[in-house]
Amino acid sequence: MCRPLRAVLLALAALSAALPTPAAEAPRYYRAPATAEADLPFSDAVRVGNLLFLSGQIGVLPGTLELARGGIAAESKQAMENIRAVLAANGASLDDVVKCTVFLADIRDWPAFNAVYRDFFRTHLPARSALAASGLAMGARVEVECVAAVGGR
């Protein structure tokens, strides 16, 4: 390597070492009062930098551990409302969601879930994965987890 190029590379290395580096932001954990009161072993959401990771939400009615009645459509709607509430409690909205993972107790419920899901994501569609599970918490028909990008807030 020629001396001028080597000198430039060494100067750049020294400069980058001298620049301040941003401190890593510690994760922030959010537990809703109902989650804490029920002593459930998870956080409703965890924020790291500009990413907000939501735990999976099932279709339980707010403040209870009771599933919404009415089958897959009612549970799906309530699960999505629960997601909206967790996002709002953390300064975010459905518009900030970039990824969802959907767990269905029965893959045959896929079309019914999609009909509800489209009511919540009209202007943009987050990346999404879906799978059928052999069982979900509390006998739920659906569970949805999301990641939101909430930069700068």
Side-chain angles (χ1 to χ4, degrees):
M1 174 181 315
C2 70
R3 282 188 187 183
L5 179 58
R6 183 166 192 252
V8 168
L9 291 175
L10 286 172
L12 286 174
L15 179 62
S16 68
L19 291 174
T21 56
E25 187 175 328
R28 289 184 282 170
Y29 300 87
Y30 168 75
R31 290 188 79 194
T35 304
E37 185 177 311
D39 198 28
L40 298 174
F42 57 85
S43 295
D44 294 282
V46 177
R47 183 169 176 171
V48 180
N50 72 329
L51 294 178
L52 184 64
F53 298 88
L54 276 65
S55 288
Q57 292 290 320
I58 59 176
V60 293
L61 299 170
T64 75
L65 295 177
E66 180 183 335
L67 289 169
R69 295 178 190 224
I72 185 66
E75 284 188 42
S76 298
K77 182 176 188 292
Q78 188 60 57
M80 296 305 298
E81 291 293 351
N82 294 344
I83 287 168
R84 186 189 328 249
V86 173
L87 289 165
N90 287 277
S93 74
L94 289 170
D95 289 339
D96 298 312
V97 174
V98 295
K99 172 73 168 94
C100 291
T101 304
V102 180
F103 304 90
L104 295 164
D106 186 337
I107 200 66
R108 291 175 290 189
D109 287 336
W110 181 247
F113 172 79
N114 277 336
V116 173
Y117 183 85
R118 286 185 174 277
D119 287 337
F120 288 84
F121 293 108
R122 294 178 182 268
T123 58
H124 75 280
L125 298 172
R128 189 175 82 174
S129 303
L131 57 123
S134 65
L136 298 174
M138 300 176 56
R141 308 281 312 148
V142 63
E143 182 171 345
V144 183
E145 68 178 29
C146 298
V147 177
V150 292
R153 294 187 198 186

